[in-house]
Amino acid sequence: MPSNKNSRPKIGLVGGGNIGGILAQLACEKNLGDVAVFDINAGTAQGKALDIASSAAVEGFHANLEGGDNPAILKDAQVVIVTAGLPRKPGMSRDDLVESNAKIVSSIARHIKEQAPDAFVVCITNPLDVMVGHLQREANMPHEKVVGMAGVLDSARFRHFLALLLGVSEQDISAFVLGGHGDSMVPLARYSSVAGIPLPEIVRMGWTTQEKIDAVIERTRKGGAEVVNLMGTSAYFAPAASAIAMAQAYLHDEKRIFPCAAYCKGVYGVDGLYVGVPALIGAGGIEKIVEIELGEQERTLFQQSIDAVAALNEVLGALQQQGKI
Ligand code: APR
């Protein structure tokens, strides 16, 4: 078959660790395009690219894979997904990673700006809401082309735990979450539903109790830590699947509405901050932020989440002033 390297879109992965490896595999198996894995550890990137490429004959996908420590392999990628950074260890919060990961994000922002300035960039590196803002500022790319993956994962966890509680398929559950990643996530029960039936109605019908729904919400908020405690490092299968869904929505102009860490200015009363909101992803990147009317309690919880992101942003700003980043 003639080789025609440029006919497929290119997905650049910055970080070829646990999440990066699964991202590469999923991108190939979904035939999203060619994949370039950039990592400071060249062997990891090359090895994973070769290993996944070796599964093409069995899995039946068509993709060129390359890996290495030269950022030039990201050249002209249409999508870049960033996972470079340290993952959590047991006992650590995501916020504990701010200094180490901000340094890494600063360096990779330069690479993305130089190699793939038109890419749709999905950041996964934690602490997510702060890192995606830092990445956008350092790369100086349009806000609608730089987005953070958190809400898709949080809502997927919420849907899974609800599915376990109610004995129904995750597919028939729709979840609506706002706010920062994890602990400060704000699930909106009245906009979350099972086969179109809102959760408050599910409780009213006697299918389950409010206490059990509250326990599911709490488990969802701590879902990341539950995985860290079990396997000693951050989750990687569900985070990768979530980011690939966002990349696919962009590449295929799907107009999907996902909860994303998107830049908010003048929506939800937020004044220039990346925070988790429902956003429409299509060929233009973040094409629209969906703003709904919040009730008093929902607004209070969302404000707490915004305040937590803003406070961590200030920590980042102070570290930058001290020259530590
Ligand atoms: N440039 C490129 N790659 C880097 C850099 C850098 N400056 N610094 C670190 N890396 C690479 C590491 O070599 C490693 O292969 O990033 C990869 C990170 O992989 P893992 O340690 O396996 O971490 P992972 O589980 O993939 O999580 C990455 O995502 O969910 C978040 O909290 C998580 O911030 C963490 C990130």
Side-chain angles (χ1 to χ4, degrees):
M1 222 167 72
S3 139
N4 182 0
K5 278 197 156 189
N6 296 321
S7 59
R8 284 186 286 264
K10 177 154 130 186
I11 295 114
L13 304 178
V14 179
N18 284 336
I19 303 179
I22 306 292
L23 285 169
Q25 185 183 28
L26 287 174
C28 289
E29 291 185 355
K30 288 174 181 281
N31 277 310
L32 290 189
D34 294 336
V35 174
V37 187
F38 165 69
D39 198 294
I40 42 165
N41 185 338
T44 297
Q46 286 165 340
K48 290 199 181 179
L50 177 60
D51 193 13
I52 294 165
S54 306
S55 71
V58 183
E59 292 290 345
F61 60 76
H62 305 275
N64 293 312
L65 279 122
E66 58 183 328
D69 61 357
N70 183 348
I73 66 171
L74 301 170
K75 183 125 199 79
D76 296 334
Q78 276 89 341
V79 171
V80 174
I81 307 179
V82 177
T83 62
L86 303 181
R88 280 196 283 174
K89 296 268 177 285
M92 283 175 95
S93 84
R94 293 183 180 90
D95 297 359
D96 293 333
L97 300 168
V98 69
E99 185 174 343
S100 52
N101 284 354
K103 275 187 210 154
I104 294 171
V105 165
S106 299
S107 78
I108 61 184
R110 276 196 305 279
H111 297 322
I112 298 172
K113 179 76 180 163
E114 283 166 17
Q115 304 298 336
D118 298 323
F120 179 60
V121 181
V122 181
C123 180
I124 304 185
T125 301
N126 275 314
L128 190 270
D129 304 271
V130 172
M131 285 305 111
V132 63
H134 183 55
L135 178 61
Q136 185 279 327
R137 285 189 299 275
E138 296 280 296
N140 193 24
M141 288 165 69
H143 287 115
E144 66 274 16
K145 297 295 275 299
V146 183
V147 62
M149 189 296 295
V152 180
L153 172 61
D154 288 330
S155 65
R157 285 182 174 144
F158 190 31
R159 288 164 67 188
H160 174 58
F161 296 141
L162 282 172
L164 291 179
L165 174 68
L166 301 171
V168 300
S169 164
E170 284 87 350
Q171 296 267 297
D172 292 325
I173 298 175
S174 167
F176 192 114
V177 298
L178 283 174
H181 185 26
D183 305 11
S184 65
M185 171 193 103
V186 183
L188 294 197
R190 68 198 170 100
Y191 286 114
S192 302
S193 59
V194 180
I197 309 164
L199 284 186
E201 183 61 19
I202 295 278
V203 172
R204 210 193 56 76
M205 287 159 65
W207 193 341
T208 187
T209 61
Q210 188 57 46
E211 290 68 35
K212 286 184 177 163
I213 299 268
D214 290 345
V216 158
I217 290 171
E218 199 45 28
R219 188 173 180 196
T220 305
R221 289 205 172 104
K222 304 260 157 45
E226 187 174 343
V227 174
V228 173
N229 289 334
L230 286 167
M231 58 185 201
T233 191
S234 301
Y236 42 95
F237 292 103
S242 303
I244 287 292
M246 293 167 69
Q248 180 175 315
Y250 172 76
L251 288 168
H252 296 176
D253 193 21
E254 288 174 351
K255 315 284 188 202
R256 297 286 312 270
I257 297 177
F258 287 131
C260 302
Y263 184 73
C264 294
K265 194 170 173 65
V267 278
Y268 286 106
V270 183
D271 185 25
L273 197 65
Y274 271 88
V275 67
V277 287
L280 189 151
I281 300 181
I286 297 293
E287 296 185 358
K288 180 184 168 69
I289 289 172
V290 180
E291 189 177 13
I292 57 151
E293 193 93 352
L294 296 178
E296 202 181 314
Q297 202 203 3
E298 293 162 349
R299 165 118 298 272
T300 304
L301 287 172
F302 188 39
Q303 191 57 48
Q304 283 169 1
S305 186
I306 295 166
D307 291 347
V309 176
L312 197 59
N313 247 333
E314 281 179 21
V315 172
L316 173 68
L319 288 166
Q320 283 179 302
Q321 277 191 344
Q322 292 159 21
K324 291 189 176 164
I325 291 162

